[in-house]
Amino acid sequence: MSLLESFVLNPEDPAYVADPSTTVDFLLGHAPIYQWTERGAVLFSRMADSRAMLTDARVTTDMRSWEAFGVVFKGGFEGERFRAFTRLFFNALFNMPNDQHARVRKLAAAAFTPRMVRGMHATIQAIVDRELDKLAASGQPIVNLRDFAEAVPITVIADILGVPTEYRDDLRRLGQATIKAASPTLPPEAWLEIADDYTKGEALIERLIADRRAAPNRAGAEDDLISVLLAANEAGQTLTNDELVAIIFTVVGAGADTSVHAMCLAAYELLTHPDALHEVQADRSLLRNAIEEAQRVNGIGKTGLTRFTTEAFELAGTPLRKGQMVIAFNVAAHRDTEVFANPDTYDIHRDTSETLTYGFGVHYCLGAALARAELEISLATLLIDRFPEATLAGELRFEAHPLLRSVVALPIRLYPESH
């Protein structure tokens, strides 16, 4: 039996979650286009092939195009329990059919202009300061950075959406459910739990929209994300109500959970590379690229960006069936030596412009600028301004998750032991 014949790709293996590099390097060297028979998918590991797949008009993010959709979901999501899920999930930007996506994305972009994101910086900074004050006030020399990281993104989203404090737990659960739902191989019981979180989330979003429509000229409306979307829609009359609800849902789903783990892993890279951290502390203009490099070398994804073919065709010399699952394996592409020399090395001066962290092509993450702002402000305040002598105080640990390398613990010591 050859090495490749005996190879098994298992993203659920704790050893793989802790460090995917050995598995990824094997695929790059032996099967850069890998037939993942257990999932019925084709994985593209090289950067060039991944980019070609992500920009091909014959692939879609719409899970309903998947050849196994009807089998896995036994005819689809039926019944009242799945009504909200179907409405939100399949109208979201990351699942929308290609012919709808461009129109809806253009209008949604009104909420993420550079001016809008810059206007959010003060909100993000206030949230970060408040959460770090809590850490400092706890009197504990060692804290779990996951607790801080988890509080920031969901609070930012809740603030820019105007979500009352008592509903923020529902918002958080909706965000977590959305990320889980992006994995099409979940067991049936997981879908039922997700469906219930979607039902609560839908009710919350509808309530927020109704509140904004009732007071369109209230103070601060020009910087309120929902008000901006409503104004843009009324001017252009191009969104259905389902699409409007789903855009707001997309904002919640895309940013509520992913940034938590990205923040932890970026902090981990800086704390385990003290020379790089000292450089960043001396010149904070290096921080953004240091974070991008951390996302390349220690990213949150377990596999990559999933798509489905809309017709049979050949890509990179590989025949694909109509309805086949294809994956741009960005975990591997970020270690492609044709693009990144010495991929094991964490180099904050590396050119990171070729990474696929936020996607590529027409589905490039609409909220990338906001996510970057959250990470940069959080880590600058934590590791430069407030706790520049912070050090690791324990093992980085992950929890089971269908899609992400989900950090459950990152213990750090905020002050030197002699403090």
Side-chain angles (χ1 to χ4, degrees):
M1 181 181 292
S2 69
L3 285 175
L4 187 57
E5 287 174 327
S6 61
F7 172 80
V8 176
L9 176 60
N10 179 15
E12 314 309 319
D13 182 353
Y16 174 87
V17 175
D19 182 8
S21 62
T22 300
T23 297
V24 164
D25 290 345
F26 177 85
L27 284 178
L28 282 166
H30 295 83
I33 300 176
Y34 177 65
Q35 300 288 338
W36 194 6
T37 55
E38 293 85 357
R39 298 279 178 93
V42 177
L43 270 67
F44 296 93
S45 293
R46 289 179 297 222
M47 180 65 76
D49 295 340
S50 294
R51 286 180 168 234
M53 187 274 275
L54 291 170
T55 53
D56 197 297
R58 296 166 293 185
V59 302
T60 180
T61 57
D62 185 0
M63 193 190 296
R64 290 165 295 189
S65 296
W66 183 27
E67 61 188 356
F69 180 82
V71 175
V72 171
F73 301 113
K74 296 179 173 51
F77 299 99
E78 298 176 351
E80 179 59 25
R81 193 169 183 179
F82 281 99
R83 185 195 57 77
F85 174 85
T86 301
R87 181 192 185 201
L88 296 179
F89 193 71
F90 293 114
N91 280 297
L93 277 171
F94 45 74
N95 275 325
M96 195 169 285
N98 293 345
D99 56 351
Q100 293 176 244
H101 179 265
R103 173 182 61 82
V104 175
R105 181 187 173 94
K106 183 177 180 180
L107 191 58
F112 293 96
T113 63
R115 185 190 71 81
M116 286 291 295
V117 174
R118 284 194 301 271
M120 297 174 192
H121 282 200
T123 297
I124 298 170
Q125 186 67 65
I127 291 166
V128 169
D129 288 339
R130 185 166 66 243
E131 293 302 322
L132 289 179
D133 286 344
K134 293 178 185 178
L135 287 187
S138 72
Q140 299 298 317
I142 297 176
V143 298
N144 183 0
L145 191 63
R146 160 71 190 259
D147 295 338
F148 164 70
E150 186 165 23
V152 173
I154 193 62
T155 308
V156 170
I157 291 171
D159 277 13
I160 64 178
L161 292 177
V163 178
T165 302
E166 62 267 28
Y167 298 119
R168 295 191 176 193
D169 285 345
D170 288 344
L171 196 73
R172 172 70 174 148
R173 284 194 293 272
L174 177 62
Q176 292 173 325
T178 303
I179 296 300
K180 290 178 181 177
S183 176
T185 55
L186 294 174
E189 61 272 17
W191 288 109
L192 293 173
E193 183 179 343
I194 286 170
D196 292 340
D197 289 333
Y198 271 66
T199 298
K200 292 178 182 177
E202 179 194 44
L204 174 58
I205 292 171
E206 289 281 20
R207 185 184 305 118
L208 294 171
I209 292 173
D211 289 347
R212 298 308 184 279
R213 282 185 166 140
N217 299 316
R218 65 183 182 82
E222 67 277 4
D223 294 319
D224 176 279
L225 189 143
I226 296 178
S227 297
V228 170
L229 287 171
L230 284 170
N233 191 40
E234 288 167 6
Q237 293 295 314
T238 56
L239 284 181
T240 66
N241 192 61
D242 281 355
E243 289 168 343
L244 180 61
V245 170
I247 286 175
I248 298 167
F249 155 75
T250 300
V251 173
V252 176
D257 203 28
T258 52
S259 293
V260 174
H261 312 296
M263 194 182 301
C264 287
L265 293 174
Y268 177 81
E269 288 302 313
L270 285 165
L271 291 169
T272 53
H273 295 86
D275 289 345
L277 178 56
H278 293 154
E279 274 197 80
V280 168
Q281 289 171 334
D283 180 3
R284 70 177 62 214
S285 70
L286 298 172
L287 179 58
R288 171 160 292 193
N289 202 64
I291 294 170
E292 299 286 322
E293 171 69 349
Q295 292 176 302
R296 180 198 69 81
V297 78
N298 201 359
I300 63 172
K302 289 165 74 173
T303 52
L305 306 168
T306 300
R307 303 287 188 267
F308 309 95
T309 58
T310 57
E311 62 182 79
F313 66 102
E314 188 174 289
L315 182 63
T318 302
L320 301 173
R321 302 183 300 274
K322 180 181 179 181
Q324 187 158 29
M325 182 191 295
V326 287
I327 300 174
F329 197 6
N330 57 355
V331 180
H334 288 166
R335 298 181 60 82
D336 185 346
T337 55
E338 292 295 315
V339 183
F340 304 108
N342 304 313
D344 285 324
T345 302
Y346 176 64
D347 179 3
I348 65 172
H349 301 285
R350 186 192 300 275
D351 178 3
T352 59
S353 60
E354 298 295 307
T355 59
L356 300 176
T357 300
Y358 295 99
F360 188 68
V362 297
H363 286 280
Y364 185 82
C365 178
L366 193 61
L370 178 58
R372 286 182 167 116
E374 288 177 358
L375 293 173
E376 192 168 354
I377 292 170
S378 297
L379 292 172
T381 309
L382 173 71
L383 296 176
I384 300 176
D385 299 329
R386 297 288 294 272
F387 305 106
E389 296 182 285
T391 55
L392 283 181
E395 182 183 357
L396 172 68
R397 292 191 292 111
F398 299 89
E399 61 187 343
H401 191 284
L403 201 66
L404 302 178
R405 298 174 66 227
S406 177
V407 175
V408 68
L410 178 58
I412 66 168
R413 183 179 294 277
L414 297 177
Y415 308 101
E417 291 192 58
S418 60
H419 182 79

